[in-house]
């Protein structure tokens, strides 16, 4: 069984400040990990993914995440927030073997960016 | 073309109506998915098609009936829905590799469904 916990359902930052969205996972096999962003009334867009290559993963829009096996974490960061980053962010996990078609999502973190 | 399209964008239907949601992708993906998303919640998986065959049904009520007529199209037929079925319905697709589904899923913009 696999699961994802996103700490903080709502994160608020000032424009230009560091963005840190937390994600911890549980998986009995090596995981694939994903961060998706969802803007209001839109579908999900993939920000970045970890698939057992480099542990520091760079994504679109200046976001990056670091896979830390010892901490079972995959936190999302961005050095400087823009107003356009305001959205819902979902961390997701799937297993790397067997029937790995299922994505298990966290509950999401709403990011608010203040001017 | 790295896009998943969904029609219609919005749909309002009564509980006795029959309607269909459509999803299309031209990325050559052989796995396609339907998700249901309620407000302020993560997407919930409903169905998975792999090579045009239904491989997963997450115990979805029979008033939702999926169909995959070819490798690019995915439909969701709706009949006798309830107001609690109102939600955003998302379609996604992904590659497959060696028969296993590789799970970078590409999502469409969704259909906003309201059941009156």
């Amino acid at each position: 069984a696999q699961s994802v916990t996103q700490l903080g359902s709502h994160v608020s930052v000032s424009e230009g400040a560091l963005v840190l969205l937390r994600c911890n996972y549980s998986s009995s096999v090596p995981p694939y990990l994903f961060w998706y962003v969802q803007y209001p009334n839109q579908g999900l867009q993939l920000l970045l993914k970890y698939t057992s290559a480099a542990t520091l993963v760079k994504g679109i829009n200046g976001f990056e995440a670091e896979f830390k096996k010892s901490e079972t974490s995959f936190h999302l960061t961005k050095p400087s927030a823009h107003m356009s980053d305001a959205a819902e962010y979902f961390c997701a996990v799937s297993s790397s073997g067997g029937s790995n078609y299922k994505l298990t999502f966290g509950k999401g973190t709403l990011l608010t960016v203040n001017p | 073309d790295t896009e998943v399209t969904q029609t219609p964008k919005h749909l309002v239907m009564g509980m006795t109506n029959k309607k269909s949601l459509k999803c299309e992708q031209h990325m050559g993906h052989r796995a396609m998915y339907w998700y249901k998303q309620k407000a302020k919640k993560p997407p919930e998986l409903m169905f998975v098609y792999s090579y045009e065959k239904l491989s997963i049904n997450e115990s979805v009520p029979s008033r939702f009936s999926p169909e995959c007529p070819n490798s690019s199209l995915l439909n969701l037929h709706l009949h006798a829905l309830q107001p609690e079925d109102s939600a955003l319905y998302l379609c996604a697709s992904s590659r497959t590799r060696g028969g296993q589904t590789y799970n970078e899923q590409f999502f469409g913009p969704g259909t906003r469904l309201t059941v009156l």
Side-chain angles (χ1 to χ4, degrees):
Chain A
Q2 52 198 25
S3 65
V4 169
T5 301
Q6 290 184 241
L7 297 174
S9 60
H10 186 194
V11 170
S12 183
V13 300
S14 298
E15 192 174 17
L18 172 71
V19 175
L20 171 60
L21 305 182
R22 299 178 187 273
C23 173
N24 289 90
Y25 71 91
S26 172
S27 178
S28 56
V29 295
Y32 291 148
L33 292 159
F34 306 84
W35 275 100
Y36 284 89
V37 60
Q38 186 175 32
Y39 299 100
N41 298 311
Q42 293 189 26
L44 276 70
Q45 181 183 10
L46 182 68
L47 277 177
L48 49 78
K49 64 182 185 286
Y50 167 77
T51 56
S52 74
T55 56
L56 183 61
V57 180
K58 294 188 184 301
I60 61 171
N61 301 339
F63 284 94
E64 64 180 38
E66 186 172 8
F67 174 73
K68 292 187 177 180
K69 184 177 178 181
S70 60
E71 298 177 10
T72 60
S73 69
F74 190 58
H75 301 330
L76 182 70
T77 60
K78 182 174 180 178
S80 176
H82 294 159
M83 297 296 289
S84 59
D85 294 327
E88 188 85 30
Y89 291 79
F90 292 100
C91 182
V93 63
S94 73
S95 58
S96 57
S99 299
N100 61 355
Y101 44 78
K102 286 189 72 169
L103 275 180
T104 300
F105 287 92
K107 292 186 176 181
T109 298
L110 179 65
L111 176 65
T112 303
V113 182
N114 304 307
Chain B
D1 185 357
T2 59
E3 196 178 44
V4 176
T5 59
Q6 291 186 243
T7 55
K9 289 189 184 301
H10 301 276
L11 178 62
V12 179
M13 60 186 291
M15 289 189 285
T16 59
N17 292 158
K18 285 185 181 181
K19 297 286 185 183
S20 296
L21 309 185
K22 296 186 183 301
C23 174
E24 189 167 6
Q25 56 88 16
H26 295 287
M27 294 178 276
H29 292 169
R30 301 303 295 276
M32 297 186 76
Y33 310 76
W34 279 115
Y35 288 86
K36 173 182 178 180
Q37 187 180 26
K38 302 284 274 186
K40 301 191 185 303
K41 298 289 187 183
E44 299 173 28
L45 183 65
M46 301 173 72
F47 302 104
V48 180
Y49 273 82
S50 181
Y51 295 95
E52 296 85 69
K53 287 184 170 40
L54 183 64
S55 61
I56 289 290
N57 177 341
E58 290 286 318
S59 302
V60 179
S62 60
R63 57 186 184 269
F64 295 92
S65 175
E67 178 197 20
C68 190
N70 61 53
S71 61
S72 299
L73 291 173
L74 185 66
N75 299 321
L76 185 63
H77 303 298
L78 314 172
H79 175 53
L81 295 193
Q82 303 297 310
E84 60 264 30
D85 296 321
S86 298
L88 181 68
Y89 287 84
L90 295 165
C91 173
S93 70
S94 72
R95 292 183 288 152
T96 56
R97 181 176 63 186
Q100 292 182 343
T101 306
Y102 180 72
N103 239 331
E104 180 176 344
Q105 295 185 20
F106 293 78
F107 285 80
T111 293
R112 176 73 61 189
L113 174 67
T114 303
V115 182
L116 301 176

